Amino acid sequence: MEAISQERRRFQSVLDGMREPVVALDPGGRVELVNRAGLEFLALDGVPLGEPAEALFARRPSLAREVLPSLLKGESDVLELALGEEALMV
C-alpha cells in the first residue's frame, strides 16, 4: 500500500511540474486529478476530487460549453484544447 501511495505522489509531482494544465476524469466523468497548472487555468482553489466534471468549469462557463459535451459523451479518451496561447488537456 505504501508503494502505491509513493508512486501516486511521484506521479503528481511530475504533473505539477508541467506547464500545461492536465485534468483526469474517471469513466463516470468524475475528477480524479488536476495538476497545479490546471488549478490555475480553471481558477480553482483546490482539487475537486470525486466531483462531476462540471465542477471544474464553474468559473469558466464558456470553456464548459466547449468541453463538457465531448467529455460527457465519451467521444474521446483525451481531449486537448488550444485557446490562444493557453491549452488544456483532459
Side-chain angles (χ1 to χ4, degrees):
M1 191 66 165
E2 177 58 31
I4 293 172
S5 291
Q6 188 175 22
E7 185 66 25
R8 184 160 176 91
R9 285 191 302 269
R10 186 170 53 171
F11 181 66
Q12 187 67 48
S13 292
V14 169
L15 285 173
D16 283 342
M18 295 175 65
R19 289 184 39 229
E20 300 82 13
V22 177
V23 171
L25 305 175
D26 69 13
R30 297 197 174 276
V31 179
E32 282 194 335
L33 67 86
V34 181
N35 71 348
R36 190 170 296 131
L39 291 173
E40 292 172 14
F41 181 79
L42 296 167
L44 296 172
D45 297 325
V47 180
L49 291 178
E51 294 292 321
E54 292 88 346
L56 292 170
F57 302 102
R59 294 185 181 166
R60 301 282 300 260
S62 62
L63 185 58
R65 286 189 293 277
E66 292 184 45
V67 175
L68 287 175
S70 296
L71 286 178
L72 298 178
K73 286 181 189 173
E75 293 175 353
S76 174
D77 289 339
V78 175
L79 179 62
E80 185 171 355
L81 299 171
L83 309 167
E85 302 231 351
E86 297 179 295
L88 170 67
M89 185 177 295
V90 181

